[in-house]
Amino acid sequence: MDFTPTEEQAAARDLAARIFGDLSTHERLTAAGTGSDAELWKALCEAGLPAAVEDTGLLGLVLLLEEQGRTTAQVPFAASCVYGLLAVSAHGSADQRKRLLPAIGDGSVVVTGALPEAAVRVGGSGELSGVVPAVPWLRDATHVLVADDEHSLWLVRTADARCEPVELTAPWSAGRLTLDGAPGERLGERQGGPEAEVAGREAYDDVLATARTAFAGLQAGVCAGSVARAVDHTNTREQFGRPLATKQGVQLRAADAYMDTEAIRVTAYEAAWRRDEGLDYATHALTAAWWASEAGSRVVHAGQHLHGGTGADLDHPVHRHFLWGRQLDAYLGCGSEVLQELGELIVHGEGDA
């Protein structure tokens, strides 16, 4: 395996780092509150970064999401690329790809996902009903990808649903989704019979594994940003005439956080690389999700603790990393849940080699 970015992936990552660094500042994040930064999202789309993911693949997206995580930039980048661009590209019909991919790429269509919930029912005429209590970035979305009780995937226009604002731990512009006979568009070709049911479940599993891998990459960036802030603070803050960073306890805590961050990063890279290469990656995606949950929580706690009393300030930038890390810890399955899934895959011989 080779995780070295291609020239195209590296160029996209560097461009993303520059845009996030310039526009996702403490002042702009404070002004955005719990909503998204429309100007930043516009800049990313004009730079062609969402559209580039179709060519750079999941590994390219993970690299971009690391840069978003470093600055905790409040835009629906991860959701629209995972549940929109990559899902439609991999599982959409020819008509859906032609119609939706350009619009998702230029940002005029924003997709989010109500996964891993599978609480939606399908009526006889294809109308959808059900409630998903919290969907990240629903307030920004034009479409939401939902799974029915048989794990088939449907695209629903948010204009045809009821979307009520809710607040999560992290400022992810979330909403409560209520479908009451809403029209939906099945992702992929509409077929009948057991083959369609198998294909629908495979598409659901792939999109969920892709999402877990991508959000693990986002967590790697969140943790890297938290560690960087802690290093800067402990190198400049002095106690008894010496920087905090000279104390062995501080060094060990920071070293553990760094190693945890690297573990999240490398497992996300491996899962993404395997998907891009067309290899089985189900267990690798769960491994990345486990590290993102368990290690991610440790890192953002350490980052806040290493700031001492400053870390208790809810308005301090490091607190955003703490909130994002805690949200990502639980999103798409907490550590114990994904570990159980991983064990079941291995026991039943369904894991990849």
Side-chain angles (χ1 to χ4, degrees):
M1 63 188 70
D2 184 4
F3 303 151
T4 304
T6 64
E7 184 177 343
E8 186 177 20
Q9 289 171 339
R13 178 197 60 197
D14 294 345
L15 178 58
R18 186 162 63 251
I19 295 174
F20 285 128
D22 289 345
L23 295 181
S24 186
T25 62
H26 175 60
E27 294 73 22
R28 291 178 63 88
L29 289 169
T30 300
T34 61
S36 294
D37 187 331
E39 184 178 341
L40 173 56
W41 178 241
K42 180 180 179 181
L44 292 167
C45 293
E46 289 180 345
L49 288 175
V53 172
E54 192 174 358
D55 297 320
T56 61
L58 182 54
L59 181 55
L61 176 59
V62 165
L63 294 171
L64 298 179
L65 293 179
E66 275 193 83
E67 301 306 324
Q68 178 184 1
R70 290 180 201 276
T71 60
T72 58
Q74 292 173 199
V75 287
F77 194 93
S80 201
C81 287
V82 168
Y83 301 119
L85 194 141
L86 290 179
V88 173
S89 179
H91 304 290
S93 65
D95 172 69
Q96 288 170 333
R97 291 195 298 270
K98 180 180 179 181
R99 175 166 42 88
L100 293 172
L101 290 180
I104 298 171
D106 66 23
S108 56
V109 166
V110 176
V111 184
T112 190
L115 273 62
E117 299 283 350
V120 174
R121 302 177 303 279
V122 184
S125 302
E127 68 279 3
L128 304 174
S129 299
V131 177
V132 183
V135 180
W137 292 287
L138 184 64
R139 283 178 267 164
D140 299 329
T142 59
H143 294 70
V144 57
L145 186 69
V146 301
D148 64 26
D149 49 10
E150 294 183 353
H151 292 90
S152 292
L153 296 174
W154 299 77
L155 279 168
V156 179
R157 295 193 315 146
T158 53
D160 296 326
R162 187 162 76 251
C163 305
E164 304 165 274
V166 298
E167 299 301 336
L168 304 180
T169 300
W172 284 3
S173 194
R176 174 186 175 92
L177 177 70
T178 302
L179 302 175
D180 186 10
E185 177 181 0
R186 189 190 297 268
L187 188 65
E189 299 290 349
R190 188 178 183 87
Q191 300 174 351
E195 295 83 2
E197 182 177 342
V198 172
R201 182 60 195 242
E202 289 177 349
Y204 170 86
D205 289 343
D206 178 61
V207 171
L208 181 56
T210 299
R212 283 172 164 161
T213 303
F215 282 97
L218 184 63
Q219 181 76 301
V222 169
C223 291
S226 179
V227 171
R229 291 189 183 280
V231 168
D232 180 69
H233 175 78
T234 55
N235 273 291
T236 55
R237 180 81 170 185
E238 292 189 356
Q239 189 178 65
F240 305 116
R242 298 174 58 195
L244 290 172
T246 62
K247 298 182 180 296
Q248 188 178 45
V250 171
Q251 294 172 1
L252 292 174
R253 191 78 189 276
D256 286 342
Y258 173 80
M259 292 303 296
D260 272 338
T261 301
E262 288 301 296
I264 300 169
R265 175 182 289 117
V266 73
T267 52
Y269 282 8
E270 182 178 15
W273 176 83
R274 290 183 66 89
R275 182 187 188 276
D276 291 343
E277 292 296 313
L279 303 172
D280 290 334
Y281 74 110
T283 58
H284 295 78
L286 286 168
T287 301
W290 184 84
W291 275 103
S293 176
E294 296 288 315
S297 179
R298 290 196 297 266
V299 172
V300 296
H301 273 89
Q304 185 152 321
H305 290 166
L306 287 171
H307 279 74
T310 306
D313 183 355
L314 301 185
D315 295 323
H316 194 282
V318 77
H319 190 66
R320 291 194 186 91
H321 293 270
F322 175 77
L323 294 178
W324 278 64
R326 293 299 298 167
Q327 185 71 55
L328 286 163
D329 168 20
Y331 185 53
L332 299 179
C334 66
S336 59
E337 291 173 333
V338 296
L339 190 61
Q340 180 178 347
E341 286 187 50
L342 178 58
E344 290 172 352
L345 278 178
I346 294 173
V347 166
H348 293 100
E350 299 175 7
D352 41 78

